[in-house]
Amino acid sequence: MIYVYLEAHELGFKKNCFETITYALDLAKHTQEEVIGICLSHIDSNMFTQAENFGLKKIIQLYNPGFSNFDAQLFSKIIAHKIKTEQANIVFSNTVQGKYLAPRVAMLNHYSFLNNIIGLPENLVFKKNVYSGKAIQMCKPLNTNWVIAIASNSYHITEQKVSCNISVENIDIDLSKIKCISSEKTSDTISLVDAEIVVAGGRGLKGPENWGIIEELAKILGAATACSRPVADLHWRPHHEHVGQTGIQINPNLYIAIGISGAIQHLAGVNRSKHIVVINIDPEAPFVKACDYAVIGDCFQVVPKLIDAIKQVKK
Amino acid sequence: MKILVCISKTPDTTSKISFIDNNSKFDDKDVVFIINPYDEWYALVRGIELKEADPSITLHLMFVGTSDIDPIIRKCFALGGEQAIRIDCMPQDSMETAFQIATYIQDNPYDLILCGKETIDFNNGAVGAMIAAKLDIPHFNLASELTLNDTMITVKTEVDGGTETFSTCLPALVCCQKGMAEQRIANMRNIIASKTKPIQIVPPYPFTPNIQNVNFELPPPKSGVKLYNIETINDLVQTLHQDLKLF
């Protein structure tokens, strides 16, 4: 039996859930195992439809009227207990919640723990991203049971219509020890970690007043915006946009870096992107050698032309 | 008040990553090891800041490793750490590291445990969460601010699309990232003192590994960059749009 942790937000299940569902279904194909979604939040009709569209036949909702906020300590104990009782394995996504829960669940049950997993295993040998994307480690769980977390945006999503059955199990919980005292939304734009396309600007843009072209390009592509470390340190852009070794590590399908030279610390945060386009005036910039497509030219001329060209094909 | 900072060593960011023994082992020849940046810049420095603000705090540094980690411990002393504990084993994975540290803490309790958000070699970001699970205490990932108020802490953490600030009673564990503290440079007095500060060596607790490392691979090389200029930008857009269907 393979469980899949289903994480909800205001628009239903998060996109990463469909990736983990497809992954778990493909994994279970060989072993003829059953795949069951496990969810600790309220499931509305929209989420139910989503589950049916992505091939999930069963969801267990573990429910307690006292649940209000996400609490890793409580949630992990509930999940660990459930999978131990069922002798099941579990797949998480490497999202914020997945990173809280997967290691805790593995530790509580002393299950083998593997994260940053890319692709399906061969003979139970899993591949994982290590050294900030500079190497891949092959490793094998030695326990019969395991907890894995797959790298977000690393597996395809397959739609397949099935009928889904939800069972609600009431559970007892301890009192939460943590209290959320304030929450702040940084912006209404797309979150960097989930984004399929990311457009980033560096010092080559010369100043915060020139960010209009970055934002416009991001807008027509439905992309998230990011920046390099010097730009965040100069306060041209907020720190939460900083991608790189010490900032956020991203893995979108397309990463467009504008006016970023490509210091090794920056590359460590972005080199898991599937396709990288670099726009730089300097053909000798290190990033030009480490990308897939490079446009050599002045970004203030290239980017508006790129925006026009994209608008043309999107018509 | 007792604070423990958990610290790991990692290859320098600019190191060439290669493997030996049929790709089963990291080749550490000519590799410069550093204090894992998240552990140093954020967890350790914040620990030192808290101790400076309240000298009655006991600040201990925790390492899991064999004696080849000692130079890293001395570097941490040079930044201002006072006392270190080294659990004498070579951990094979995150769970073993977490198990060793958590078992030690069960015998020697701490109020606040600080870690970096992840190490830059294995990128698991799991040790903090695992220690907290074994101790059955709350933990916070991606923390960028931490204030200590008697037996309570307030922690600002990054969540999807924003930040959330939590409070909790101690004991608790915090995994630190950017914003937590400003990077420090060792001063001469601490560098001299670092040579004689004590390292307590603790024998490892028995642990059965539950992951087997098979081998490593380097990612496939980039197939070579395709160059464009302002005149040929439409070709690039065609490739991205029609061939790769990226938008």
Side-chain angles (χ1 to χ4, degrees), chain A residues 174-250:
Chain A
D174 306 333
L175 273 178
S176 179
K177 287 187 194 158
I178 60 168
K179 194 173 141 207
C180 182
I181 45 182
S182 68
S183 96
E184 215 176 296
K185 261 212 160 328
T186 37
S187 64
D188 295 317
T189 48
I190 300 149
S191 113
L192 264 175
V193 185
D194 295 337
E196 289 181 24
I197 304 180
V198 174
V199 178
R203 252 187 310 193
L205 279 142
K206 299 195 166 79
E209 67 280 7
N210 296 327
W211 240 259
I213 49 171
I214 301 282
E215 281 166 353
E216 191 183 349
L217 178 59
K219 197 170 167 213
I220 59 163
L221 289 170
T225 53
C227 70
S228 64
R229 177 168 180 160
V231 165
D233 286 348
L234 288 163
H235 301 295
W236 292 1
R237 298 295 290 179
H239 270 291
H240 64 81
E241 278 200 2
H242 161 207
V243 292
Q245 178 84 72
T246 52
I248 296 172
Q249 281 109 49
I250 55 168

Side-chain angles (χ1 to χ4, degrees), chain B:
Chain B
M1 172 69 58
K2 287 181 79 181
I3 300 177
L4 185 71
V5 184
C6 307
I7 299 168
S8 173
K9 71 163 189 177
T10 51
D12 183 20
T13 319
T14 54
S15 306
K16 188 175 176 297
I17 304 297
S18 57
F19 301 94
I20 47 170
D21 295 350
N22 278 332
N23 286 327
S24 67
K25 219 174 116 193
F26 178 67
D27 182 4
D28 58 8
K29 194 168 145 271
D30 301 330
V31 169
V32 176
F33 283 90
I34 55 169
I35 311 169
N36 180 45
Y38 297 108
D39 303 345
E40 173 188 348
W41 301 351
Y42 310 125
L44 174 60
V45 176
R46 188 69 190 124
I48 293 169
E49 287 173 357
L50 291 170
K51 160 105 186 151
E52 283 168 353
D54 176 1
S56 73
I57 288 175
T58 306
L59 177 71
H60 287 169
L61 315 184
M62 167 58 80
F63 299 81
V64 183
T66 48
S67 59
D68 61 0
I69 203 172
D70 288 354
I72 295 289
I73 304 182
R74 299 282 168 209
K75 274 187 190 162
C76 295
F77 284 154
L79 288 166
E82 289 299 325
Q83 258 194 67
I85 298 136
R86 173 164 69 78
I87 301 177
D88 193 20
C89 67
M90 199 59 205
Q92 297 304 307
D93 64 17
S94 305
M95 195 176 282
E96 184 170 3
T97 307
F99 176 85
Q100 296 295 343
I101 297 173
T103 312
Y104 178 84
I105 298 172
Q106 281 171 334
D107 295 340
N108 307 272
Y110 288 85
D111 302 291
L112 176 63
I113 301 145
L114 302 177
C115 301
K117 77 156 186 175
E118 66 180 41
T119 60
I120 62 167
D121 48 9
F122 284 93
N123 312 116
N124 277 331
V127 170
M130 286 177 168
I131 295 171
K134 188 159 165 59
L135 298 174
D136 195 16
I137 58 172
H139 88 278
F140 300 94
N141 280 344
L142 306 175
S144 58
E145 282 174 27
L146 163 68
T147 49
L148 182 60
N149 196 344
D150 200 15
T151 57
M152 298 274 294
I153 50 166
T154 308
V155 186
K156 187 172 179 180
T157 69
E158 192 181 297
V159 292
D160 285 333
T163 58
E164 281 181 351
T165 305
F166 293 92
S167 67
T168 190
C169 285
L170 296 174
L173 184 146
V174 180
C175 301
C176 309
Q177 67 159 358
K178 195 176 174 129
M180 182 60 81
E182 288 296 325
Q183 197 178 345
R184 279 201 185 192
I185 297 165
N187 64 35
M188 195 43 87
R189 192 171 60 92
N190 279 334
I191 292 173
I192 294 164
S194 72
K195 297 187 172 65
T196 51
K197 286 181 184 171
I199 303 174
Q200 184 199 342
I201 295 164
V202 175
Y205 303 92
F207 178 84
T208 317
N210 57 21
I211 296 289
Q212 183 197 346
N213 171 39
V214 178
N215 60 0
F216 293 91
E217 259 176 23
L218 295 176
K222 290 269 177 200
S223 51
V225 51
K226 289 201 182 74
L227 292 173
Y228 297 84
N229 59 39
I230 192 154
E231 304 305 325
T232 56
I233 206 147
N234 284 324
D235 302 342
L236 171 64
V237 171
Q238 285 302 329
T239 306
L240 301 177
H241 175 66
Q242 284 192 337
D243 305 343
L244 301 170
K245 302 199 177 352
L246 293 172
F247 50 79

Side-chain angles (χ1 to χ4, degrees), chain A residues 8-29:
Chain A
H9 61 160
E10 55 275 23
L11 302 168
F13 290 125
K14 293 193 78 172
K15 195 196 108 205
N16 304 84
C17 297
F18 311 127
E19 202 177 352
T20 41
I21 292 170
T22 304
Y23 184 90
L25 289 169
D26 288 353
L27 190 60
K29 248 179 219 160

